[in-house]
Amino acid sequence: MLRWAPYPFIRITLSLIAGILLYFILGEDLRYSAEVFAFFVAAFVLAAVWSLRAKAAVATNMAGIVGLLCFMALGFWATHLHTVRNNPQHLLHLSGQPAYYIGVVDDYILQKPGYQSTVVRVQQVQVNGEWQQAEGYVQLSIPHDSEKAYELNYGDVLLVKGAPQEVVPPGNPNQFDYRQYLANKGIYHRHYLQAFQAQKIAAAPSNPLLAASMHLRRNLDQLLRERVEARREYAISSALILGVKDELDNSIRSAYASTGTMHVLAVSGLHVGLIYVVLVWLFSFMAPTVRQRALQAVLILALLWTYAFLTGLSPSVLRAVVMFSFVTVGTAIKRQTNIYNTIAIAAAALLMLNPYNLKEVGFQLSFLAVLGIVYLQPKLYQLLEVNNWLLDKVWMYFTVAVAAQVATLPLGLFYFHQFPVYFWFANLVVVPAAMFALYTGIAALAFSWVPMLSGLLFALHSGIVWVMNWFNEAVQRLPYALLNGIDITTLQTWLLYALFITLILFMALKKLRYFAVATAVVAVLAVQEVWETVQQKEQKLFTIYNVRGATGMALVQGQQATVLADFALLQDASDYTFNVQPHLWHIGVEQPQFASLGGGAAMEASFTMLPDSNSMLVWQGQRMLLLSHPPQLTSKQPLPLDYLLLRNNVRLKPQDLQSYAPGKVVLDASNSPWYRQRLHQQLDTLGIAYYDVADSGALVVRLR
């Protein structure tokens, strides 16, 4: 039987989460959040008084329900307060475009070849020649071509010329929504600067502690750069110890992602947990008396927060340190604390600090992984009794990896559309190796002033990191190492978690009704999958994608597709992966064929190169003329077309368009902004319907 009494903080945290989710759904429509919270607080006081006087179960239950509604209202109100666009002085509510603005650097500095990126907190703007107070965050990209590694620092006050632009929505269907990602962080504007468009006028860090932490992390990163000679090993080392991932290249990211070990490169709960285990072991001799337990807790907390300080007080580390801090305090005072209550307290504290943490993928995965390890790992571990010490440790690591992977599986499929088949094997090697790499790396930094010892520690650390890289790349090359192209909806994600929970309840409580519910969930998932497959097999559509500086389109029939693209898109795998692939996966196309716009055909399409180097595409009765060169062919009668695609800033006179009778003119993202603006005016004057892919997003045409 399920008993809620031992888990009060779980009830509180779930109520808080419900209020936050309610704001995400209805926040724009529901007002007076503070008043609603005050109402429920008053109602709780009255219910509590009634409960004390009546001393009846009904009164007590009513007071408890109203109390949970208070926390729900608190979550709603806290989310309203943390939604920066509600501020009337926000950049979104300005009466005009700023000519200048003043802002302070409020985030880490991301160093990339040719530019630096950071976030600026705006303080003032100049609109119509007058300065006024303003608020809001702007993601700033500044050209960087000097030999100095960093030119910006946290707390630098910048005078910036120009107006920041609102972050645009995704340009292609099912593409990663970077606008929403930034909005969850309170950022609604971006600004790409030219050289000399920003000037540092002062330095005023709002948080001196964070400024000192970032400065220390930058110095430690520079030390790693100097002492770990190989570039790839340095990149992993800096990510593993300090959370600095600026130098990670796509190949090494892909290797770790394909083996399910990417989590070791994101300084978070794993790293803090490894440090916590060592600290508990080191100070275990201090446990007998109350005073020694208190001293032990103080030392562990001090060292945990010192590590957080070394990593720049990053949010992921702070989440983990807060959680282990609660565990440490609970152990020190010898309270019979429940680990689930401890996790709930940590989650509630982090959500009160920033309710938008709930939308962070790292937050979701971290807490789900911890819950999986806490609940599932002991049960999996007990399935097999191993007498050999070494094999027992291998089995323990295996069950930890499986528990964490199972708990995060639906969410991983939803966000990343892939499943690393050999995660269990890779984690058996990589997690212990990462543990030793972390310990040796921290020790090497701590003793960097000791010549012989530091040289030995850095060499050992570099060797371990090299082995990790080699092993991951070897596992990545194994057959079927990665299953990708998995696309599930939000509803299916919830249904998968419902399936897991009901199966766990069935095995724990031995109640047949939970198995019946699990069976019903499987049936719903199966019906959804069959219906989706039937629809996909009958679909016919073509899409012209929004790919900056390139032309790309897909012809889709059933679950087969051909991607027609120019050389720029075919050569840049990241452009295809980011812009095109998510849409194809969503409509059931796992692996399309590829063909160049310079010639070739597929999917029963006729692709003809014309004498003037332009081309004509005929597919499923649709006629499309692709113009990338000035047209030189003329006809006495206008050429009937369904679509006329203009690309690569094709030189075209307005009268040239009168030689065609297109249903719609399409401008793709291979055209420059100035060219598209000019064409807009000309097409409007001629009264010709057009569609600008760069402005309006990908053009998706479904054929019956």
Side-chain angles (χ1 to χ4, degrees):
M1 181 178 178
L2 290 174
R3 296 175 61 245
W4 278 102
Y7 311 106
F9 290 104
I10 293 180
R11 300 196 297 273
I12 290 172
T13 303
L14 289 177
S15 300
L16 196 68
I17 291 173
I20 295 171
L21 291 174
L22 184 63
Y23 186 89
F24 291 157
I25 298 170
L26 302 173
E28 297 295 331
D29 301 320
L30 295 182
R31 300 181 182 275
Y32 311 111
S33 56
E35 290 80 358
V36 171
F37 174 62
F39 168 79
F40 279 111
V41 170
F44 173 72
V45 172
L46 294 176
V49 171
W50 176 46
S51 173
L52 290 174
R53 291 184 176 181
K55 296 182 179 179
V58 174
T60 302
N61 291 338
M62 182 61 67
I65 292 172
V66 176
L68 293 179
L69 289 175
C70 284
F71 283 101
M72 186 174 174
L74 177 61
F76 190 94
W77 182 36
T79 312
H80 175 81
L81 293 176
H82 281 83
T83 303
V84 295
R85 67 174 180 268
N86 292 331
N87 190 322
Q89 292 186 327
H90 193 271
L91 293 171
L92 291 170
H93 309 311
L94 291 178
S95 59
Q97 288 286 343
Y100 295 88
Y101 61 92
I102 294 175
V104 59
V105 176
D106 200 54
D107 201 357
Y108 305 96
I109 313 300
L110 177 64
Q111 178 70 57
K112 289 295 184 180
Y115 74 95
Q116 293 179 343
S117 179
T118 188
V119 175
V120 168
R121 177 168 47 84
V122 175
Q123 297 175 327
Q124 297 182 64
V125 296
Q126 188 192 74
V127 180
N128 299 325
E130 295 184 2
W131 285 97
Q132 64 185 63
Q133 297 295 319
E135 294 192 13
Y137 294 92
V138 178
Q139 187 185 65
L140 213 62
S141 293
I142 303 177
H144 174 256
D145 56 4
S146 69
E147 295 182 357
K148 186 177 180 180
Y150 291 93
E151 294 181 345
L152 293 177
N153 296 286
Y154 172 80
D156 286 351
V157 181
L158 303 178
L159 173 63
V160 183
K161 181 180 180 181
Q165 302 298 314
E166 287 189 44
V167 182
V168 298
N172 296 290
N174 307 105
Q175 184 177 330
F176 173 66
D177 193 344
Y178 193 62
R179 181 176 67 168
Q180 186 60 53
Y181 170 78
L182 290 179
N184 294 339
K185 299 176 179 294
I187 303 170
Y188 294 89
H189 292 81
R190 302 176 77 177
H191 201 172
Y192 298 97
L193 302 184
Q194 303 297 323
F196 309 111
Q197 201 174 342
Q199 180 180 350
K200 178 180 175 181
I201 58 176
S206 58
N207 188 333
L209 182 65
L210 183 57
S213 175
M214 289 184 179
H215 181 71
L216 177 60
R217 185 175 83 154
R218 186 177 291 182
N219 290 337
L220 294 175
D221 178 56
Q222 182 60 34
L223 182 59
L224 283 175
R225 188 187 297 269
E226 295 170 356
R227 301 298 296 271
V228 180
E229 297 179 1
R231 182 177 178 273
R232 296 186 77 187
E233 277 65 62
Y234 153 71
I236 297 295
S237 176
S238 186
L240 176 68
I241 301 172
L242 303 174
V244 179
K245 294 183 280 190
D246 297 5
E247 298 290 333
L248 288 176
D249 58 42
N250 290 333
S251 62
I252 201 68
R253 286 177 184 268
S254 175
Y256 279 76
S258 299
T259 57
T261 57
M262 192 67 182
H263 55 89
V264 304
L265 302 184
V267 176
S268 57
L270 172 66
H271 305 72
V272 177
L274 293 174
I275 293 173
Y276 175 78
V277 168
V278 170
L279 293 177
V280 170
W281 175 73
L282 285 175
F283 299 121
S284 58
F285 67 93
M286 302 177 66
T289 67
V290 174
R291 183 171 297 179
Q292 286 181 330
R293 285 201 308 272
L295 179 59
Q296 180 194 48
V298 169
L299 291 172
I300 291 176
L301 289 173
L303 292 171
L304 283 178
W305 283 97
T306 298
Y307 178 68
F309 189 78
L310 296 179
T311 61
L313 297 174
S314 65
S316 58
V317 174
L318 288 179
R319 285 197 297 263
V321 170
V322 166
M323 185 161 57
F324 282 106
S325 295
F326 280 115
V327 173
T328 302
V329 172
T331 304
I333 62 178
K334 282 255 177 178
R335 292 293 301 272
Q336 295 298 319
T337 56
N338 186 296
I339 185 61
Y340 300 105
N341 281 325
T342 302
I343 296 171
I345 293 172
L350 292 167
L351 290 173
M352 284 304 300
L353 287 173
N354 183 7
Y356 281 88
N357 278 329
L358 189 61
K359 285 192 172 185
E360 288 284 337
V361 178
F363 180 90
Q364 298 169 13
L365 293 176
S366 294
F367 278 94
L368 284 173
V370 169
L371 288 172
I373 292 170
V374 167
Y375 181 81
L376 290 176
Q377 191 274 336
K379 291 175 170 49
L380 295 173
Y381 180 73
Q382 292 171 4
L383 293 176
L384 183 64
E385 184 177 349
V386 181
N387 295 323
N388 182 277
W389 179 86
L390 179 60
L391 293 179
D392 181 65
K393 295 301 178 185
V394 170
W395 173 242
M396 182 187 71
Y397 278 121
F398 175 81
T399 55
V400 167
V402 171
Q405 193 72 37
V406 168
T408 58
L409 176 60
L411 211 58
L413 296 178
F414 176 73
Y415 284 122
F416 308 117
H417 312 293
Q418 61 184 27
F419 178 71
V421 175
Y422 302 114
F423 75 91
W424 52 273
F425 174 52
N427 278 276
L428 283 176
V429 176
V430 173
V431 171
M435 176 178 67
F436 288 113
L438 180 65
Y439 296 157
T440 54
I442 293 175
L445 291 174
F447 294 101
S448 59
W449 53 278
V450 182
M452 294 287 292
L453 180 59
S454 66
L456 179 62
L457 288 171
F458 273 115
L460 180 59
H461 171 73
S462 300
I464 296 173
V465 172
W466 182 89
V467 170
M468 287 171 52
N469 291 345
W470 173 85
F471 177 79
N472 272 298
E473 290 175 334
V475 174
Q476 183 189 25
R477 290 191 293 268
L478 293 176
Y480 307 106
L482 185 68
L483 302 179
N484 55 23
I486 303 170
D487 186 85
I488 62 174
T489 64
T490 304
L491 175 60
Q492 289 171 328
T493 305
W494 282 105
L495 287 173
L496 284 174
Y497 274 114
L499 175 62
F500 288 175
I501 291 171
T502 50
L503 287 176
I504 288 172
L505 289 173
F506 169 69
M507 290 184 287
L509 304 178
K510 305 297 189 294
K511 299 289 186 180
L512 193 59
R513 60 175 176 268
Y514 294 115
F515 185 77
V517 173
T519 304
V521 172
V522 171
V524 172
L525 286 168
V527 169
Q528 282 188 330
E529 184 64 25
V530 171
W531 176 250
E532 186 179 80
T533 302
V534 170
Q535 287 185 314
Q536 289 174 350
K537 287 185 178 298
E538 296 177 351
Q539 67 188 350
K540 292 180 182 179
L541 60 96
F542 73 84
T543 304
I544 302 175
Y545 292 101
N546 181 3
V547 184
R548 185 178 179 183
T551 297
M553 65 178 69
L555 310 177
V556 180
Q557 184 171 359
Q559 293 179 318
Q560 304 296 319
T562 296
V563 174
L564 299 172
D566 56 17
F567 182 76
L569 180 57
L570 292 176
Q571 288 297 110
D572 193 337
S574 61
D575 264 352
Y576 168 77
T577 301
F578 185 74
N579 293 291
V580 179
Q581 193 174 64
H583 178 229
L584 295 179
W585 282 349
H586 179 71
I587 59 178
V589 178
E590 294 184 9
Q591 186 59 51
Q593 297 177 351
F594 292 89
S596 171
L597 287 172
M603 296 289 296
E604 302 177 355
S606 172
F607 197 87
T608 306
M609 294 299 298
L610 303 178
D612 58 0
S613 298
N614 294 306
S615 52
M616 174 71 76
L617 174 66
V618 180
W619 181 70
Q620 297 293 330
Q622 300 293 305
R623 295 161 58 88
M624 180 186 297
L625 178 62
L626 290 75
L627 291 183
S628 55
H629 299 83
Q632 298 175 3
L633 302 179
T634 59
S635 62
K636 295 181 179 180
Q637 298 295 329
L639 181 63
L641 298 169
D642 294 288
Y643 297 93
L644 174 62
L645 177 61
L646 306 181
R647 48 190 295 263
N648 296 334
N649 298 335
V650 55
R651 286 178 295 176
L652 196 67
K653 297 177 182 178
Q655 53 267 31
D656 292 336
L657 294 174
Q658 298 174 354
S659 302
Y660 310 103
K664 182 173 290 185
V665 173
V666 181
L667 289 77
D668 72 5
S670 67
N671 299 297
S672 302
W674 62 265
Y675 177 86
R676 292 186 289 105
Q677 177 116 25
R678 190 186 71 185
L679 259 293
H680 290 180
Q681 298 172 354
Q682 295 175 350
L683 293 169
D684 285 334
T685 301
L686 294 171
I688 298 176
Y690 65 90
Y691 186 94
D692 190 334
V693 169
D695 284 348
S696 304
L699 175 64
V700 181
V701 179
R702 295 188 177 274
L703 307 175
R704 297 295 179 184

